[in-house]
Amino acid sequence: MMTGFRLNLSPLKEPLGFVKLVEWLTAIFAFGGCCGFSGTNIVSLFCGDGTNETINANFHYPFRLSQVPLVDGNATLCNHSVTTTHMMGDSSSAAEFFVGIGVVCFLYSMVALLVYLGYMHVYKDSDFGPIFDFVITAILVFLWLVSSSAWAKGLQNLKDATNTEGIGGTLAVCKESNITCEVTDFASMRTLNISVVFGYLNMFIWAGNAWFVYKETRWHSQKFSSQPGPGRQHVPAPI
């Protein structure tokens, strides 16, 4: 059997190769929208004497808010001394897990496309290739579900920690009776919301692709060949 590289673009015209190309693209949108994010919420402090002050709540991937200073160093806000204060919350584990799965799927899709376009003759002539491809695809479907759900929860925790209630519960000065704290300008989290959508979309796409990969395995061919055809009749054995 020849095992050399043979460029053949015909798999891209079939579901097996075309869906893999789609997976490659959707993985980029999933992890790219998360790992490239950086935003700032503007917090306004309405002091009892009628003056206003503002502070910036900066946050970015991987969203370890507990390490991000809301007030850096000793400061005076509304005539109150405020020490170094960090935001509360940590969504880094969910975000990094989600991005990690996205990168793995991005790389695996590239390798799979290379095999489909250059080594399809080897892929179809062996049992190991399709079975390995199917098992990895099934595992990645599950991981997309888990990581997307974890990141959706992590994103909600991030929103809760950076809104008015979250910031107000973090800053001690906001608990004073004559001081009101409010987030007056929110950072756009559109790309983070899109990343969650693409996470679940990837799960469905990979689940659909698992069927086309399964059709390449010997499990499917054996099942198909074992079914009697419509024109076949079982002849009774002679007595």
Side-chain angles (χ1 to χ4, degrees), residues 26-197:
T26 53
I28 296 176
F29 284 106
F31 73 80
C34 178
C35 68
F37 180 85
S38 178
T40 301
N41 284 0
I42 306 299
V43 184
S44 297
L45 286 75
F46 302 98
C47 308
D49 58 2
T51 60
N52 298 336
E53 298 192 31
T54 60
I55 58 176
N56 295 336
N58 303 305
F59 52 97
H60 53 81
Y61 177 84
F63 310 112
R64 292 189 179 92
L65 300 184
S66 59
Q67 299 180 11
V68 178
L70 186 60
V71 177
D72 194 5
N74 295 328
T76 301
L77 297 174
C78 295
N79 298 321
H80 288 73
S81 179
V82 180
T83 60
T84 299
T85 305
H86 294 81
M87 288 190 282
M88 297 180 64
D90 189 344
S91 298
S92 61
S93 58
E96 290 175 337
F97 179 39
F98 179 79
V99 170
I101 296 302
V103 172
V104 168
C105 290
F106 168 76
L107 296 176
Y108 182 76
S109 298
M110 290 182 60
V111 174
L113 281 172
L114 176 64
V115 173
Y116 294 165
L117 299 181
Y119 299 94
M120 183 57 79
H121 55 291
V122 180
Y123 179 88
K124 289 191 172 183
D125 288 343
S126 65
D127 290 335
F128 174 78
I131 291 176
F132 177 82
D133 195 11
F134 173 73
V135 171
I136 297 298
T137 300
I139 292 174
L140 291 177
V141 172
F142 175 73
L143 291 178
W144 269 122
L145 172 62
V146 175
S147 64
S148 298
S149 299
W151 172 226
K153 175 60 176 174
L155 178 56
Q156 185 59 52
N157 293 339
L158 175 65
K159 292 178 179 179
D160 292 340
T162 56
N163 63 14
T164 297
E165 290 76 13
I167 298 296
T170 302
L171 274 175
V173 70
C174 295
K175 300 176 183 178
E176 299 291 336
S177 58
N178 61 338
I179 299 175
T180 301
C181 299
E182 181 181 350
V183 177
T184 54
D185 189 7
F186 288 87
S188 175
M189 296 191 182
R190 185 181 298 111
T191 58
L192 299 182
N193 295 328
I194 291 175
S195 69
V196 173
V197 173

Side-chain angles (χ1 to χ4, degrees), residues 211-222:
W211 165 248
F212 297 110
V213 177
Y214 171 73
K215 290 175 65 176
E216 300 295 328
T217 66
R218 57 181 173 86
W219 300 329
H220 179 267
S221 59
Q222 288 175 354

